[in-house]
Amino acid sequence: QVQLVESGGGLVQAGGSLRLSCAASGTGFLGFPMGWYRQAPGKQRELVALISYGGSTNYAESVKGRFTISRDNAKNTVYLQMNSLKVEDTAVYYCAYQAPSRDYWGQGTQVTVSS
């Protein structure tokens, strides 16, 4: 089993920055991709960014140039640096770990961007 614990969400004004962290633990944690997804009210959950164990990244078009995903494999932690935040970035952000057998999810952290 793998457990994911997110932190770092909150309320920020448009144009501001936040950094999300996700710490992974458990006996099933190995070097597979991790990522961040988000879900706004009334919308489906969508991919924000993914990162492989080796550091290859993939971003949603809407966040390219503003968000940066990174991971510290020694700490089993993935980060999401969010800059130039927009009101439309408001959502619950979920950390994900994509093991071959299944995906694991964190509990989510709220990010609210005010105008």
Side-chain angles (χ1 to χ4, degrees), residues 96-113:
Y97 174 64
Q98 300 183 336
S101 57
R102 56 164 285 188
D103 292 342
Y104 292 88
W105 297 92
Q107 80 284 358
T109 185
Q110 177 71 45
V111 172
T112 302
V113 184

Side-chain angles (χ1 to χ4, degrees), residues 3-87:
Q3 293 79 44
L4 304 173
V5 179
E6 301 116 332
S7 60
L11 173 64
V12 64
Q13 286 190 328
S17 298
L18 282 174
R19 188 192 195 206
L20 306 182
S21 299
C22 173
S25 62
T27 58
F29 185 78
L30 297 172
F32 295 115
M34 297 185 73
W36 291 94
Y37 290 72
R38 67 186 181 187
Q39 187 167 19
K43 295 186 177 181
Q44 290 188 334
R45 190 172 297 188
E46 63 176 1
L47 171 69
V48 176
L50 282 174
I51 186 166
S52 70
Y53 187 79
S56 297
T57 59
N58 185 32
Y59 294 93
E61 285 295 326
S62 60
V63 306
K64 280 184 179 179
R66 300 188 296 122
F67 291 10
T68 302
I69 189 170
S70 61
R71 67 190 288 171
D72 184 334
N73 292 327
K75 296 182 178 179
N76 294 342
T77 300
V78 64
Y79 306 96
L80 186 67
Q81 178 66 43
M82 305 185 293
N83 299 327
S84 302
L85 281 160
K86 303 177 180 180
V87 172

